[in-house]
Amino acid sequence: MTGQRVTRKAQIAVLVSGGGTNLQALINEEKLGHIPHGHIALVISNKKDALALKRAEKAEIPAIYIKRDRKNPKDFEEKLLKLMAEKEIDMVVLAGFLSILSADFIRHFPNRIVNIHPSLIPAFSGPGYYGIKVHEKVLERGVKLTGATVHLVNEITDGGKILLQKAVKVLEDDSPESLQKRVMEEAEWVLLPQAVENLAKEIG
Ligand code: GRF
């Protein structure tokens, strides 16, 4: 015996719906050894053809599509919980996951769910502010600074404790798409892996 303490890494589930560039940032940072206290153990999408699923498969992470029927969202969450229990998931990352989780589900992971939002919360956040819409509203209002926020998820949309924020300048000639790209590159892909490592460390 060397007396070395074997610590278990926090097992992470990432929920996605789309392109999965934030998931990719997490995969890359884990590979680089920048998330030493966590391990991405499961990726779940509520969209069958999400590119994020392909990214996970390429990284050899179990990647599963679960159909989410609007009329019966409980079914989705029950399947999700079952899979998470099987994989002994400790924390959940919402990385471009475009559905709202119920208070019931959130109660299973108190202070253990993080979300990335593409604005400086509380600005441009809450119901209706998601994806490209956030950047359209930012440009409409003419603010000079926007950014991204990683926050804990509670039952209020975008209302949980703020963990990390980073500001990004809005340029004169920005389109919603160019702004979205810069917010991702300069803020989201930097903040999310950092926040995930911080929480994984806290859990461990
Ligand atoms: C990101 O801007 C994220 O903040 C928002 O949706 C987008 C998802 O992008 N919630 P991706 O799927 O990670 O590429």
Side-chain angles (χ1 to χ4, degrees):
M1 289 290 273
T2 59
Q4 230 179 18
R5 206 176 141 235
V6 182
T7 49
R8 179 181 174 275
K9 289 186 179 198
Q11 300 296 294
I12 304 166
V14 185
L15 270 54
V16 295
S17 300
T21 60
N22 279 289
L23 167 69
Q24 192 65 57
L26 289 169
I27 292 171
N28 296 349
E29 292 302 295
E30 184 184 347
K31 252 192 204 143
L32 288 169
H34 296 161
I35 310 182
H37 294 88
H39 170 62
I40 306 168
L42 183 62
V43 171
I44 291 170
S45 172
N46 63 340
K47 297 273 181 274
K48 198 174 187 175
D49 49 5
L51 179 59
L53 285 173
K54 298 262 177 312
R55 293 180 190 269
E57 279 162 17
K58 202 165 167 218
E60 296 178 358
I61 301 165
I64 294 163
Y65 157 66
I66 306 178
K67 187 175 169 75
R68 188 178 183 279
D69 185 351
R70 273 170 202 231
K71 286 183 216 134
N72 188 8
K74 270 211 151 156
D75 190 50
F76 172 81
E77 292 189 352
E78 273 162 19
K79 286 181 181 152
L80 200 54
L81 284 170
K82 192 166 169 276
L83 271 171
M84 287 185 179
E86 278 167 22
K87 294 272 175 200
E88 298 184 6
I89 295 300
D90 301 297
M91 58 182 275
V92 182
V93 181
L94 309 184
F97 180 65
L98 298 179
S99 265
I100 304 286
L101 294 166
S102 73
D104 240 13
F105 179 91
I106 293 166
R107 264 196 291 277
H108 282 85
F109 293 93
N111 299 323
R112 295 286 182 268
I113 309 178
V114 298
N115 181 44
I116 177 89
H117 183 80
S119 77
L120 293 173
I121 290 176
F124 306 101
S125 67
Y129 286 92
Y130 59 88
I132 197 76
K133 285 182 202 278
V134 176
H135 306 289
E136 285 167 2
K137 301 274 183 202
V138 162
L139 293 176
E140 259 169 52
R141 188 62 188 87
V143 296
K144 303 295 177 205
L145 268 183
T146 183
T149 304
V150 182
H151 64 92
L152 290 177
V153 172
N154 63 12
E155 60 293 344
I156 303 159
T157 305
D158 298 331
K161 183 185 171 191
I162 290 171
L163 300 177
L164 293 174
Q165 286 189 307
K166 189 165 188 269
V168 173
K169 275 187 189 157
V170 180
L171 305 180
E172 282 293 324
D173 57 355
D174 259 328
S175 63
E177 289 75 19
S178 69
L179 185 57
Q180 180 180 48
K181 185 167 178 278
R182 226 173 36 262
V183 168
M184 282 178 156
E185 289 170 353
E186 291 181 15
E188 296 185 41
W189 303 341
V190 180
L191 290 187
L192 190 60
Q194 271 176 17
V196 166
E197 166 56 14
N198 293 348
L199 186 60
K201 193 173 176 186
E202 200 183 300
I203 291 173

